[in-house]
């Protein structure tokens, strides 16, 4: 107890020095998110509006688009000053050398029967054919199933799942679903001129007067009632219709801010399509905030590269993750409980906590050392403190014998007093500012430089070879925006790529040394889902932060991330017991589960009632491990989130699209956390079948129901017709006996579920009819008994 009290005092002193305050936005401070909207509203800039298709070749689906030149001009009317885009002549000299209305390349590529790619350039782009880190294979595949037909005024390509029509004059593209319904189309200036007094920037690009750099505005129509979801771990409105979203990795300093640790340039629409903005530049998305009829994707890149996916949410996610990569299965132990706080400082701390977990019968698989395992707290030098860790290797081996893996924190910023600062500088492995010097007080490794990656991985490999199971890949949101990188690009392109490079670097070396794909990461970009697991950042200890945490997790899941976690009880301060109690079953019913934050986080540091509640919630998770593991495998194979919005499973239920405070845990369990000090809540149950309370056995009809929580403070229901596999309780997944599983059947008649045994990692369907098992798909490996 003396050690835990000292840790509490240490964290309290740290809190006095570093107040838990969120970053002020639009204050001109260091690493502030870049919002490029101003570029599209400046009187100084020149705007090129896509006007007419030229020289189109139907066989290659390529040609040119003519752009007409515009600038903003003012018009005063009734004491109100308006700004309108107005045609202008060229202002270059000599005029014969420059085009006033340039014809620039336009290409349509067919990636799959559901996926169409549109590329447009504003000039020379020497990187156009380079491999992309965001795409799982570096390049997009091609598909020949689309059939061409000439239509009046344009060209049409059709697949079994929809079509794209390119009109010539005015130029536009129209996307339709398999039934011929228009799901979206590009916005031409003719759609706005004379039809609205609001100046709308149509499809085109801007040339900045300041430096002649160019950025695209991909402007498309929105349908009445259309809803927009995704864009990464966004904590604000779940449905982004009516919102502006800035995609720029940022230390969000919490989960109730508009900035994001995990922006992802992908979204899906309730209208039956998804869009991937294939770029790493800053992006500002306006989904009908400025003008309700249009979505405006303001993309910093000088080349526009958009992928469109046709289908329902599952089909869109499957297609998107076919392109950018699906989340591989993390190891079984990672699905167990992770015990952590900020921070355990010593071998004695770690041994005491693991012993207490076993004494109190709190099932657990991971002990995490946060910022305090170095000699100097927070000084990430990849060496265990010699004064507080007698034998790290023996400690880790002992933990493994007791069913614990070890996770270690680290950070990619190196302070001047860190010996590794000098290594980075002397070996020229750091990001430079435009003057060739260090941009910050810290040295930031240039992860676009293979030598810097090798240097970093060597440090991590030393720890993994000691037996460490996972590395916490913290931070990563502050790569210098004005930095110069080995890739030949500036931070305008590399800032958002840094988290992807960072995730990949640590995941790759962990795979190489340990043979497992597992990290614990905070920041992301498109493609980071290939390197699980990610967690939700530094949530406040409040009801609203708990609700925002769920919104963020659901949004991230809608951008291809199968696995996600969060700090149970919140991070910033010691969690109030009531909040911690309600957050606990929410955390246990997440893909991955960790208690972490300001001390105390250990359940025995609270009341006996809380300890019993925590134990029961944890026991439930461990007994559900066969369900969790099978659903994880199914999610991994199909690009689905384990924690998913209701409409992913029930896209034809209009009510499912409106819910942001419930979720499906896998395909068969619905979870409704308690976000206030209450014991019951209104719950929307989707679909046309009944739902059965997992805790009480009560049956509820589809639609709205007011439901009382069970012994655990959460509402948890199972779909009628589901088979939920269970396993005998063990204190670690290492000690689980998978040779005997119990099947719990919910409802009457036919019921179905999944089984996946860790020994072969193969997904099997299991069916029960009229109380009898139709067949055992894991015969000889596991005995299945119906409960």
């Amino acid at each position: 107890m003396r050690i835990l009290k000292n840790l509490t005092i240490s964290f309290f002193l740290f809190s006095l020095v570093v107040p838990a305050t969120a970053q002020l936005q639009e204050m001109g401070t260091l690493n502030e998110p870049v919002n490029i909207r101003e570029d599209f509203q400046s009187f100084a800039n020149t705007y090129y509006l896509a006007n007419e298709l030229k020289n189109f070749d139907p066989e290659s689906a390529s040609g040119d688009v003519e752009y007409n030149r515009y600038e903003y001009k003012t018009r005063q009317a009734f004491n109100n000053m308006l700004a309108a885009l107005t045609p202008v002549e060229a202002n270059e000299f000599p005029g014969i050398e420059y085009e006033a209305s340039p014809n620039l390349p336009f290409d349509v590529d067919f990636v799959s029967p559901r996926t169409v790619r549109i590329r447009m350039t504003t000039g020379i782009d020497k990187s156009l054919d380079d491999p992309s880190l965001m795409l799982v294979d570096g390049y997009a595949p091609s598909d020949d199933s689309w059939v061409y037909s000439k239509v009046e005024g344009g060209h049409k390509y059709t697949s079994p799942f929809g079509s794209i029509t390119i009109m010539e004059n005015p130029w536009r593209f129209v996307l339709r679903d398999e039934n011929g319904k228009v799901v979206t189309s590009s916005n031409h200036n003719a759609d706005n001129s004379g039809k609205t007094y609001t100046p709308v920037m149509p499809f085109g690009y801007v040339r900045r007067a300041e430096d002649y750099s160019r950025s695209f505005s991909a402007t498309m129509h929105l349908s009445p009632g259309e809803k927009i979801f995704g864009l990464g771990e966004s904590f604000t409105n779940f449905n982004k219709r009516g919102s502006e979203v800035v995609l720029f990795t940022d230390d969000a300093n919490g989960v109730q801010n508009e900035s994001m640790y995990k922006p992802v340039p992908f979204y899906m629409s309730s209208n039956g399509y998804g869009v991937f903005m294939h770029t790493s530049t800053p992006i500002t998305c306006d989904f009908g905030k400025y003008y309700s009829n249009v979505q405006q994707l303001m993309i910093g890149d000088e080349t526009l590269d958009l992928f469109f996916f046709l289908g329902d949410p599952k089909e869109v996610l499957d297609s998107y993750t076919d392109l950018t990569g699906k989340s591989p299965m993390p190891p079984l132990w990672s699905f167990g409980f992770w015990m952590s706080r900020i921070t355990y400082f010593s071998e004695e701390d770690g041994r005491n906590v693991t012993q207490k977990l076993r004494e109190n019968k709190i099932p657990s698989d991971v002990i995490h050392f946060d910022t305090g395992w170095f000699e100097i707290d927070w000084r990430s030098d990849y060496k265990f403190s010699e004064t507080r860790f007698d034998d790290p290797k023996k400690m880790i081996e002992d933990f493994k014998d007791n069913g614990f893996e070890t996770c270690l924190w680290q950070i990619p910023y190196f302070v001047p007093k860190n010996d590794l600062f000098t290594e980075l500088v002397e070996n020229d492995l750091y990001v430079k500012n435009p003057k060739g010097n260090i941009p910050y007080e810290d040295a930031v490794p240039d992860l676009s430089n293979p030598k810097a990656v090798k240097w970093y991985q060597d440090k991590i490999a030393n720890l993994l070879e000691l037996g460490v199971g996972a590395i916490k890949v913290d931070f990563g949101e502050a790569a210098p925006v004005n930095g110069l990188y080995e890739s030949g690009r500036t931070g305008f392109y590399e800032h958002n790529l840094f988290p992807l490079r960072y995730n990949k670097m640590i995941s790759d070396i962990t795979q190489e040394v340990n043979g497992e794909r597992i990290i614990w990461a905070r920041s992301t970009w498109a493609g980071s889902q290939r390197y699980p697991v990610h967690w939700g950042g530094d949530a406040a200890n409040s009801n609203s932060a708990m609700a925002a945490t769920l919104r963020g997790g659901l949004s991230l899941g809608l951008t291809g991330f199968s696995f996600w976690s969060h700090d149970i009880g919140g991070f910033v301060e010691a969690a109030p017991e009531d909040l911690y109690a309600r957050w606990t079953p929410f955390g246990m019913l997440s893909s991955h589960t960790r208690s972490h934050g300001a001390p105390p986080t250990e359940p025995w540091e609270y009341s006996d009632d809380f300890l019993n509640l925590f134990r029961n919630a944890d026991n439930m998770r461990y007994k559900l491990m066969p369900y969790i593991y099978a659903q994880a495998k199914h999610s991994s194979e199909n690009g689905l989130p384990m924690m998913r919005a209701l409409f992913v499973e029930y896209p034809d239920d209009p009510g499912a699209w409106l819910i942001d405070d419930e979720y499906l845990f896998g395909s068969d369990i619905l979870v409704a956390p308690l976000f206030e000090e209450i014991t019951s809540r209104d719950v929307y149950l989707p679909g046309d079948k009944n739902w059965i309370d997992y805790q009480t056995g009560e049956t509820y009809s589809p639609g709205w129901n007011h439901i009382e929580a069970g012994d655990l403070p959460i509402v948890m229901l199972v779909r009628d017709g589901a088979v939920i596999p269970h396993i005998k309780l063990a204190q670690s997944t290492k000690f689980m006996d998978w040779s005997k599983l119990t099947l719990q059947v919910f409802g009457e008649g036919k019921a179905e579920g999944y089984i996946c045994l860790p020994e072969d990692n193969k997904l099997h369907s299991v069916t029960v009819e009229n109380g009898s098992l139709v067949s055992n798909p894991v015969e000889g490996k596991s005995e299945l008994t119906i409960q």
Side-chain angles (χ1 to χ4, degrees), residues 39-57:
D39 291 347
F40 295 89
Q41 297 177 332
S42 170
F43 283 86
N45 294 341
T46 303
Y47 302 89
Y48 293 84
L49 310 188
N51 182 53
E52 185 177 351
L53 184 66
K54 303 278 190 177
N55 308 317
F56 188 75
D57 174 26

Side-chain angles (χ1 to χ4, degrees), residues 253-267:
N253 287 287
V255 301
Q256 296 172 90
N257 311 316
E258 63 180 346
S259 58
M260 287 184 269
Y261 303 107
K262 304 175 187 65
V264 179
F266 168 82
Y267 64 92

